Amino acid sequence: MEVVVRDNNVDQALRVLKKKMQREGVYREMKLRRHFEKPSIKKAREKAEAVRRFRKLMRKRMDREGY
């Protein structure tokens, strides 16, 4: 990941870097890797996340179609 510093404005470059890292999911992955997660718990968490994403998608579709 690369961020360009313009006019010695390091604060703005840091803000851009943090935003890019957030979008890529780096912070979330760091949080998950902080502690060991049992494979069964990992599988359950991933399944719950998939269900949540699917429900969100369906909600958006229903709003768009006018149900």
Side-chain angles (χ1 to χ4, degrees), residues 16-49:
V16 170
L17 176 65
K18 287 179 183 178
K19 199 177 289 185
K20 280 186 177 184
M21 289 174 69
Q22 180 73 31
R23 245 183 266 129
E24 293 291 322
V26 175
Y27 289 125
R28 188 170 185 280
E29 188 172 336
M30 283 175 18
K31 182 182 174 187
L32 288 173
R33 288 178 184 237
R34 222 172 264 160
H35 301 287
F36 178 74
E37 187 176 29
K38 287 173 49 178
S40 60
I41 294 175
K42 180 178 179 183
K43 185 177 176 183
R45 177 183 50 79
E46 289 176 348
K47 184 174 173 103
E49 289 173 357

Side-chain angles (χ1 to χ4, degrees), residues 49-65 67:
E49 289 173 357
V51 168
R52 211 173 296 122
R53 278 193 310 271
F54 179 75
R55 284 184 182 158
K56 183 178 182 182
L57 177 68
M58 286 297 118
R59 234 184 356 259
K60 284 186 176 184
R61 274 192 194 160
M62 293 300 169
D63 287 345
R64 232 180 303 136
E65 294 173 6
Y67 286 104

